């Protein structure tokens, strides 16, 4: 099956399959798209600008009801997004502050 994602998907930065395999999450430049692997239907699941998430996102993984996103380039954080409510939590680091600091949560820094 081939599906067409939204026309504003200019770059694929990461992919993750939901634990049950029924959803594929595709990270684009500004959004995460959701593709139903059964029906092929696709939609925008999450927009980075709406949540104030800065910089590039290249790593994506799923665990239960959450997506975990790792930053790159100008983003130095790990964020968690609920697949139920799309609520965002910064788990570690800071989107706009680099460094090398061992710490807990947002007190840690990544280069």
């Amino acid at each position: 099956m081939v599906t067409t994602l939204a026309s504003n998907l200019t770059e694929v930065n990461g992919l993750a399959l939901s634990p049950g395999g029924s959803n594929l999450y595709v990270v684009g430049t500004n959004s995460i798209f959701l593709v139903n692997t059964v029906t092929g239907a696709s939609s925008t699941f999450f927009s980075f600008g709406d949540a104030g998430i800065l910089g590039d996102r290249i790593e994506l993984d799923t665990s239960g009801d959450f997506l975990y996103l790792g930053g790159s380039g100008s983003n130095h954080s790990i964020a968690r997004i609920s697949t139920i409510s799309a609520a965002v939590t910064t788990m570690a680091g800071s989107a706009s502050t680099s460094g090398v600091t061992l710490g807990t949560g947002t007190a840690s820094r990544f280069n």
Side-chain angles (χ1 to χ4, degrees):
M1 171 186 343
V2 175
T3 188
T4 302
L5 294 175
S7 61
N8 61 346
L9 178 63
T10 58
E11 184 176 319
V12 174
N13 295 325
L15 298 169
L17 194 59
S18 66
S22 61
N23 291 314
L24 176 67
Y25 297 93
V26 181
V27 179
T29 304
N30 299 311
S31 301
I32 299 174
F33 297 93
L34 174 64
V35 179
N36 183 299
T37 60
V38 177
T39 66
S42 65
S43 61
T44 300
F45 169 72
F46 185 83
S47 174
F48 296 135
D50 293 344
I53 295 177
L54 305 172
D56 303 323
R57 295 281 173 181
I58 61 164
E59 297 296 328
L60 177 68
D61 200 358
T62 61
S63 178
D65 293 333
F66 297 99
L67 294 174
Y68 291 89
L69 297 137
S72 173
S74 62
N75 189 321
H76 309 281
S77 66
I78 299 170
R80 180 179 76 179
I81 301 176
S82 168
T83 58
I84 306 298
S85 67
V88 179
T89 304
T90 300
M91 301 300 293
S94 171
S96 59
T97 306
S98 67
V100 179
T101 304
L102 295 177
T104 301
T106 58
S108 59
R109 295 288 178 261
F110 305 109
N111 200 6

